[in-house]
Amino acid sequence: MSDSHPIIPGSGITGASDAYNIEGRETPETRPLIPLGQRYYAEEKPRMGFFTDTTVCIGCKACEVACKEWNNVPDVIGELTGQSYDNTSSLGANTWRHVAFIEQRKPIKMQQEAGLMTPGSEEDGEFRWLMSSDVCKHCTEAPCLDVCPTGSLFRTEFGTVVVQEDICNGCGYCVPACPFGVLDRRQEDGRVWKCTLCYDRQKDGLEPACAQACPTDSIQFGPLDELREKANGRLEMLHEAGVDDARLYGANEEEYGMGAFFLLLDDPEVYGLPPDPEVVTRKFKSLWGAAAVAAGALVAGVAAAFAGGAR
Amino acid sequence: MSDGRREPQPQISMTQQGGSLDGRGEVRPVPEEQVRSYYGRPVLKEPVWTWEIPWYFFTGGLAGASAPLALAADLAGNERLARSARFGALGGAMVSPVLLISDLGRPGRFFNMLRVIKPTSPMSLGTWVLSAFSGAAGLAATTDVLGIFPHARRFFEGVATLLGLPLATYTAVLVADTSVPVWHEARGELPLVFASGAAASAGACAAIFTPIEDAAPARRLAIGGAVAEIGATELMKHRLGKFLAEPYEKEAAGRYEKLATALSGAGAAVMTLAGRKSRAATVAGGAMILAGAAFERWSVFKAGFQSARDPKYTVFSQRERLHSRHRAEDEG
Ligand code: SF4
């Protein structure tokens, strides 16, 4: 397991089995097939997801570690960035959970009122630390899944979005399609990798590794509708306590539905999240309409070239 | 952090300075000052595509637009021009798959592209279109060389034309169908840029390989395409607005775009002035137009990377969208 080179033993260019295709259990043919446009198996299983409550995140990175351990994600020893405690920088092929650290000159209201601030200089009192564990959003209408030309990305029976590594040919289309910069291609491997919401664990009725490892329950796993209810309750509680900064991100299906959503204490972009993500891939009319017009112009151009004579 | 000193960095610039945007009369903070981000890190991932892709945009366009040119010349009875265009289509169709496959992270798994037909994925549709086009263009050229089945040849030309039109334009949809702001927001104009570049390339290529007395329609297509390409690019930047057009004007994308405009313009001028009289001038002008079309694709390609790299393009355009949505909600 320590040798990170052939990342998953047995996975090769020939398309042999991988972590989510444990021998004897699943092949592309036996995997659940969800028709395009259908979001999840509402009838069979509830849609599962993450609620990441950043207000109780303590920045311990247990989620990052647990994720790597369970999913056998290669470790990349990078450099110290000097950007607070964040040395993983962003989500990517080898980082499926990423803890962001933001240092701000702003008091935390509840702590201040309860007298929990450590006494110190004036400046110290004006300091707060925002920490948030980011992850793939397992979008309701996932652009990555829409654009994938091989069908490697698929919607599981839990409503999550997973890459089938035995099918991915590394075309890279999903990388710029994702509005959150989640997916990336692994250089030495040629395929894209991302959070699977621990598909294999879920199949065995276990919660994802990160959620289990989280000591403060900042990461909560469960049926999405229950999580949303919980999150709304938590938000109300925070607002009553005077934490006006608190807001939910990705909890509203009307805006941009996410299977993994967040409770944040500042604008999304402060955490590196897009403030108004959109499902770019569902604009068929404006995308293909423009191409049809251009194709028509091309025909007209060729015809016009012959209008002045055949030679 | 090795020096043991850690200062809370105000990584977010909250200073708001007045400035005007777009000349829309509204005074809004200038983007750089207003945009907040996480240590200036990109929100999106830069594409992983390499040099093959912009060249494929070029060869695919050349092939795609050569097919209708071949059919039109054939129907008009200009056999020499038709043959040049047929070979343009075939050449482009032969190079394109090689470029596409070599860009894959796992080239050996190219055939996984053919396990599905996925209407939501322009790349899936494009792969099928290119595969079928290659067959049709190949058959058209083969029947021509062997001098057999003249009726079948025209049929293959017709098929190649029907597939060539999407082939010359779908690559614009492919890049527009991503979260990269300067691609997605240009979705209305990018296909026009690509289609006119394709027309220019097909015309130029056919004109180069056809004796001048038979090449007039190809020259006209090359000149018209080159001029349209310059116009479509300007239109695209205009529609994007000052802020989002910026990546097209900076760094590599900006340099390529200037080269593209200069080369296409000069090539069109040379071809207009001397193409009728001199084969050498046609070759020179055609080469410039081809280079211009290639540089234009490179410019679009690079601009996407540049805009993905800088969070301000993502964050600011989304903030603007939120603003206008909220304004509309307040009013209505
Ligand atoms: S967040 Fe990105 S990678 Fe995850 S499902 Fe959505 S589009 Fe796909």
Side-chain angles (χ1 to χ4, degrees):
Chain A
M1 297 288 265
S2 61
D3 181 20
S4 68
H5 249 263
I7 289 124
I8 284 145
S11 70
I13 212 144
T14 49
S17 79
D18 66 54
Y20 310 102
N21 186 13
I22 296 157
E23 224 181 306
R25 292 188 55 188
E26 287 227 323
T27 64
E29 290 72 38
T30 62
R31 271 172 214 151
L33 187 79
I34 301 194
L36 274 177
Q38 190 176 320
R39 291 172 180 180
Y40 51 94
Y41 279 134
E43 333 75 31
E44 289 176 21
K45 290 189 175 123
R47 183 175 171 199
M48 305 301 276
F50 281 134
F51 165 40
T52 308
D53 179 354
T54 69
T55 59
V56 292
C57 177
I58 54 170
C60 69
K61 300 190 194 176
C63 51
E64 280 191 24
V65 176
C67 174
K68 274 190 186 281
E69 288 277 335
W70 180 263
N71 293 301
N72 206 6
V73 177
D75 49 358
V76 199
I77 307 295
E79 287 176 359
L80 296 180
T81 60
Q83 289 159 345
S84 195
Y85 277 105
D86 183 2
N87 294 313
T88 18
S89 298
S90 59
L91 292 173
N94 296 333
T95 309
W96 299 357
R97 268 277 177 194
H98 164 241
V99 184
F101 292 78
I102 300 128
E103 301 175 8
Q104 290 183 342
R105 292 256 167 251
K106 192 173 182 187
I108 300 173
K109 176 129 185 161
M110 263 160 54
Q111 290 186 352
Q112 208 180 31
E113 279 175 358
L116 287 174
M117 299 294 290
T118 13
S121 72
E122 195 114 307
E123 273 222 320
D124 281 347
E126 293 286 289
F127 177 80
R128 75 168 178 175
W129 223 330
L130 301 181
M131 284 159 281
S132 163
S133 180
D134 197 8
V135 71
C136 166
K137 318 298 177 286
H138 295 276
C139 309
T140 305
E141 295 174 305
C144 63
L145 196 157
D146 278 347
V147 300
C148 176
T150 61
S152 165
L153 273 151
F154 82 121
R155 173 92 51 199
T156 72
E157 65 272 39
F158 304 106
T160 56
V161 179
V162 172
V163 186
Q164 303 174 77
E165 297 307 343
D166 50 345
I167 291 172
C168 176
N169 65 10
C171 78
Y173 200 176
C174 52
V175 175
C178 172
F180 308 94
V182 168
L183 282 143
D184 208 354
R185 199 152 80 179
R186 216 175 258 171
Q187 200 93 63
E188 66 279 12
D189 168 272
R191 297 174 291 179
V192 300
W193 299 84
K194 75 167 190 77
C195 160
T196 70
L197 225 142
C198 281
Y199 187 37
D200 50 347
R201 291 173 63 94
Q202 280 204 63
K203 280 200 164 270
D204 284 340
L206 295 171
E207 67 177 327
C210 56
Q212 186 166 339
C214 178
T216 63
D217 251 355
S218 170
I219 300 174
Q220 299 177 32
F221 166 77
L224 204 50
D225 40 1
E226 279 175 31
L227 289 178
R228 286 198 183 125
E229 219 167 282
K230 256 196 219 175
N232 280 319
R234 173 73 179 152
L235 183 68
E236 227 168 83
M237 193 182 124
L238 286 165
H239 281 170
E240 267 165 31
V243 188
D244 304 322
D245 284 347
R247 76 213 58 195
L248 291 177
Y249 179 74
N252 188 350
E253 279 288 306
E254 319 271 80
E255 285 166 9
Y256 188 100
M258 303 180 198
F261 65 98
F262 302 80
L263 196 159
L264 304 176
L265 287 174
D266 204 335
D267 286 337
E269 57 264 40
V270 171
Y271 296 87
L273 297 164
D276 184 32
E278 54 173 348
V279 189
V280 286
T281 49
R282 297 290 164 102
K283 293 185 181 154
F284 296 114
K285 244 203 219 142
S286 64
L287 285 164
W288 288 107
V293 169
L298 184 51
V299 173
V302 173
F306 284 88
R311 50 194 83 224
Chain B
M1 257 184 272
S2 49
D3 58 352
R5 188 173 47 94
R6 195 183 63 245
E7 265 174 54
Q9 282 298 316
Q11 78 280 6
I12 302 146
S13 162
M14 298 286 284
T15 9
Q16 303 213 339
Q17 283 176 7
S20 86
L21 183 80
D22 252 350
R24 267 187 266 146
E26 280 171 66
V27 179
R28 299 192 51 80
V30 291
E32 278 84 346
E33 301 298 330
Q34 197 210 24
V35 172
R36 308 173 76 192
S37 75
Y38 184 66
Y39 299 101
R41 287 206 192 112
V43 170
L44 306 172
K45 281 275 177 302
E46 268 179 65
V48 291
W49 295 324
T50 44
W51 61 269
E52 292 96 334
I53 297 301
W55 280 114
Y56 166 62
F57 293 165
F58 171 74
T59 57
L62 168 66
S66 289
L69 179 61
L71 179 66
D74 191 357
L75 292 175
N78 185 343
E79 196 31 56
R80 273 206 275 192
L81 178 57
R83 175 169 278 196
S84 305
R86 259 175 231 132
F87 280 98
L90 179 64
M94 282 184 355
V95 179
S96 297
V98 178
L99 292 171
L100 279 186
I101 293 172
S102 106
D103 179 66
L104 295 177
R106 287 285 178 99
R109 289 188 180 182
F110 166 75
F111 289 106
N112 283 358
M113 293 276 192
L114 305 178
R115 66 192 279 284
V116 286
I117 298 180
K118 217 168 139 181
T120 58
S121 170
M123 193 184 283
S124 171
L125 296 183
T127 307
W128 287 102
V129 166
L130 175 63
S131 307
F133 177 88
S134 301
L139 287 168
T142 317
T143 45
D144 176 13
V145 173
L146 300 179
I148 48 169
F149 310 131
H151 291 293
R153 190 185 66 215
R154 201 159 276 176
F155 170 75
F156 295 135
E157 261 165 17
V159 174
T161 298
L162 285 179
L163 295 164
L165 297 172
L167 181 62
T169 47
Y170 93 89
T171 41
V173 180
L174 189 147
V175 293
D177 198 5
T178 63
S179 293
V180 175
V182 300
W183 287 343
H184 185 66
E185 298 306 330
R187 61 189 177 279
E189 296 79 32
L190 266 181
L192 273 180
V193 174
F194 278 34
S196 48
S201 327
C205 182
I208 289 173
F209 291 103
T210 311
I212 40 176
E213 62 274 18
D214 288 322
R219 284 197 300 270
R220 286 193 283 268
L221 186 64
I223 296 161
V227 173
E229 191 182 7
I230 298 173
T233 310
E234 286 308 313
L235 176 70
M236 174 182 77
K237 289 196 292 184
H238 177 75
R239 291 261 179 88
L240 280 172
K242 215 171 123 211
F243 179 63
L244 275 186
E246 202 176 87
Y248 285 101
E249 279 154 2
K250 294 201 304 199
E251 298 166 47
R255 284 195 299 278
Y256 292 149
E257 209 221 77
K258 282 193 200 81
L259 274 170
T261 310
L263 284 164
S264 301
V270 169
M271 198 133 356
T272 313
L273 297 175
R276 222 170 315 155
K277 286 168 242 129
S278 143
R279 183 82 184 260
T282 300
V283 172
M288 283 192 265
I289 290 176
L290 284 169
F295 275 119
E296 184 51 49
R297 304 313 209 296
W298 269 95
S299 164
V300 170
F301 183 70
K302 285 283 179 190
F305 283 65
Q306 289 164 203
S307 81
R309 199 179 300 147
D310 191 334
K312 80 176 181 200
Y313 295 113
T314 316
V315 173
F316 187 73
S317 45
Q318 294 190 9
R319 276 278 158 218
E320 284 284 278
R321 198 160 64 209
L322 276 173
H323 274 306
S324 45
R325 203 157 63 220
H326 290 155
R327 234 188 343 254
E329 273 164 22
D330 290 347
E331 281 160 14

